[in-house]
Amino acid sequence: MFECEKLLEIIDSLKEEFLLHWINISNIESPTYYKEGLDKVSEYIIEYSKKQNWNIEVLYLEKAGNCVCITMNYDSVEKPITISGHIDTVHPLGAFGKLPVKTEGDLIYGPGVTDCKGGVIAGLMAMKALKEINYVNRPIQLILQTDEELSSIPSNRKTIDFMIEKSKNSICFLNLESSRIGSNSAVLWRRGIAKYRFDIKGKSIHASKCNEGASAIAEAAYKIIELEKMKDINGLTCNCGIIKGGSTVNTVPDECNFYAEVRYETNSEKATADQKIREIAEKTFIKGTTCTVTNESFRYAMEKNERNFKLLEKMNEIYKANGLPELIARQSLGGSDAADMTVAGIPCVDSIGTDGDFIHTTNEYGIISSLPKAAKRIASVLYLIK
């Protein structure tokens, strides 16, 4: 008999109940800057957790959604385990219609169903299953993050500080980002991300005398071409995704701004990126123009490290002993809060949530049958890891 057999059976019995929770929180639209929606999602999960007699701690925030830590076995003196997922989405209000969520067969469609509300529900499902078998060994913490999609800019990284403070003594941190369909994998390293804003000033004049002006747009174009040369998939990459400038077609533009996003493999490369950005900002291509650049946000890289690989080894030992698929370590080119936890020295494995695809689009979907699978991955580790 597998040590987790009863636990896994309970998870199967909870599938319909937690599918409904998945639908309900996904029907509450919660883009990152929509505090009202974010707090409604949190309140839904808080109300459920209160019925389980779990402890609730709330970081109240003015602009961002309130960050929440839910703990079962709060009075245990053992070191906790922390699981976490974000409840903010990228989709504008109304992008999915009047009632956002729909289900078709084994698929659930809606804003954030996979990134990352499915993972949050899988974590909650795992905790409920542990409660059903009277698990009391150590505290289990579920943190609801509310501004992950915008690199925690709305809270000025207060959500990250809260997460680190709550997780600092944890034996491990499991991030509930979406899994890759059918891959049986987990993310152990990620790229870092820095976003820069370039503001360019020029000299405006009627287009008939364009040789006497200084085009801010032309200066931006030269700088963008230089930035876009950073395309080392194993080092620095750059994408310039937004540009604004000019007033009328027959006027030399005296203002232009654009954004550049740089991704890096290691945190030491962030300094290299800053230097390259400064050099391009300071170099003048069009006489009479000036430029200022601002580093508006950054994410640490989640670098390869022994702690995380050892954690995955322990998880795979548990999976193998209980008839669950082992997970292969992989990289993600995107960012997540797992990088901050790794930098803080907490053993961390990322992307063990539900399966799905087309995240950040109006075709985003989750695979319903992956919900109990994810909950089993999470619950077995919470139950048995030492």
Side-chain angles (χ1 to χ4, degrees):
M1 178 177 176
F2 294 134
E3 198 169 354
C4 283
E5 186 170 359
K6 182 62 177 177
L7 180 66
L8 303 184
E9 287 176 359
I10 290 171
I11 287 173
D12 284 329
S13 74
L14 295 173
K15 178 180 176 181
E16 294 305 317
E17 176 188 344
F18 279 83
L19 171 59
L20 182 59
H21 291 315
W22 193 1
I23 291 170
N24 288 344
I25 69 165
S26 299
N27 266 326
I28 304 171
E29 295 183 88
S30 54
T32 309
Y33 275 119
Y34 186 46
K35 179 175 171 59
E36 180 181 344
L38 288 160
D39 290 346
K40 283 182 179 179
V41 175
S42 293
E43 281 301 320
Y44 181 98
I45 297 172
I46 286 171
E47 286 306 308
Y48 177 85
S49 301
K50 284 179 177 178
K51 292 175 183 177
Q52 311 307 316
N53 295 315
W54 296 337
N55 188 72
I56 311 296
E57 297 172 86
V58 181
L59 173 67
Y60 292 96
L61 296 165
E62 183 179 353
K63 294 181 179 179
N66 297 329
C67 196
V68 181
C69 181
I70 297 163
T71 308
M72 66 180 293
N73 305 330
Y74 183 75
D75 294 330
S76 170
V77 297
E78 299 297 321
K79 288 186 176 182
I81 300 173
T82 303
I83 59 178
S84 179
H86 67 89
I87 58 173
D88 62 319
T89 72
V90 302
H91 308 88
L93 293 174
F96 283 75
K98 187 174 182 180
L99 193 63
V101 176
K102 65 178 181 179
T103 59
E104 293 179 357
D106 195 32
L107 302 182
I108 175 173
Y109 294 86
V113 291
T114 295
D115 186 24
C116 164
K117 291 180 177 179
V120 169
I121 292 300
L124 199 67
M125 190 178 185
M127 292 171 68
K128 173 62 173 176
L130 287 167
K131 183 175 186 289
E132 290 295 307
I133 63 167
N134 299 312
Y135 172 85
V136 294
N137 291 16
R138 67 173 71 248
I140 305 297
Q141 303 180 147
L142 169 63
I143 297 179
L144 308 179
Q145 159 68 306
T146 54
D147 60 358
E148 189 271 352
E149 292 290 4
L150 291 178
S151 302
S152 297
I153 293 173
S155 69
N156 195 26
R157 291 182 60 84
K158 290 179 181 177
T159 55
I160 297 296
D161 293 340
F162 179 79
M163 293 172 70
I164 292 173
E165 176 62 27
K166 293 299 173 187
S167 306
K168 64 184 180 182
N169 295 320
S170 297
I171 63 171
C172 66
F173 181 98
L174 305 180
N175 205 37
L176 306 178
E177 288 281 355
S178 60
S179 182
R180 180 177 287 175
I181 296 175
S183 68
N184 289 329
S185 65
V187 170
L188 263 64
W189 66 104
R190 286 179 175 270
R191 310 204 85 202
I193 305 172
K195 296 177 183 177
Y196 303 86
R197 175 182 168 123
F198 287 73
D199 288 285
I200 300 170
K201 300 292 185 182
K203 179 183 177 182
S204 181
I205 198 167
H206 192 278
S208 63
K209 299 179 180 179
C210 60
N211 58 309
E212 298 177 20
S215 172
I217 289 178
E219 179 68 14
Y222 279 110
K223 292 185 187 300
I224 289 170
I225 290 170
E226 289 298 306
L227 289 164
E228 290 278 347
K229 290 178 182 178
M230 284 189 272
K231 288 287 183 279
D232 180 1
I233 198 62
N234 296 311
L236 295 177
T237 64
C238 183
N239 177 68
C240 298
I242 299 175
I243 183 169
K244 296 179 182 179
S247 55
T248 64
V249 71
N250 61 348
T251 304
V252 174
D254 61 354
E255 289 187 343
C256 183
N257 65 68
F258 68 91
Y259 288 83
E261 183 193 82
V262 177
R263 300 196 177 213
Y264 37 92
E265 196 77 6
T266 65
N267 290 309
S268 61
E269 287 181 335
K270 170 65 163 57
T272 305
D274 285 339
Q275 182 179 346
K276 285 180 176 287
I277 292 293
R278 284 195 302 270
E279 288 173 355
I280 293 170
E282 291 169 0
K283 184 176 180 180
T284 301
F285 297 88
I286 302 293
K287 186 178 179 180
T289 62
T290 59
C291 176
T292 59
V293 64
T294 307
N295 186 179
E296 293 210 331
S297 69
F298 79 98
R299 281 189 181 279
Y300 288 112
M302 182 182 182
E303 298 180 9
K304 286 184 179 180
N305 72 80
E306 189 176 357
R307 288 190 309 273
N308 293 354
F309 276 87
K310 283 187 175 180
L311 173 57
L312 184 60
E313 286 178 12
K314 290 181 181 180
M315 291 168 62
N316 278 333
E317 289 172 4
I318 291 169
Y319 297 150
K320 184 176 181 180
N322 288 276
L324 296 172
E326 295 178 55
L327 301 180
I328 299 168
R330 67 176 176 90
Q331 180 188 33
S332 171
L333 299 181
S336 90
D337 297 325
D340 294 274
M341 302 303 117
T342 297
V343 169
I346 304 163
C348 182
V349 167
D350 196 358
S351 298
I352 60 169
T354 53
D355 293 350
D357 206 350
F358 298 131
I359 63 172
H360 291 197
T361 76
T362 52
N363 294 315
E364 181 171 342
Y365 72 85
I367 298 175
I368 294 171
S369 58
S370 74
L371 177 61
K373 291 178 183 178
K376 290 175 182 179
R377 279 196 296 267
I378 299 160
S380 60
V381 173
L382 300 181
Y383 185 43
L384 293 174
I385 198 162
K386 300 291 191 289

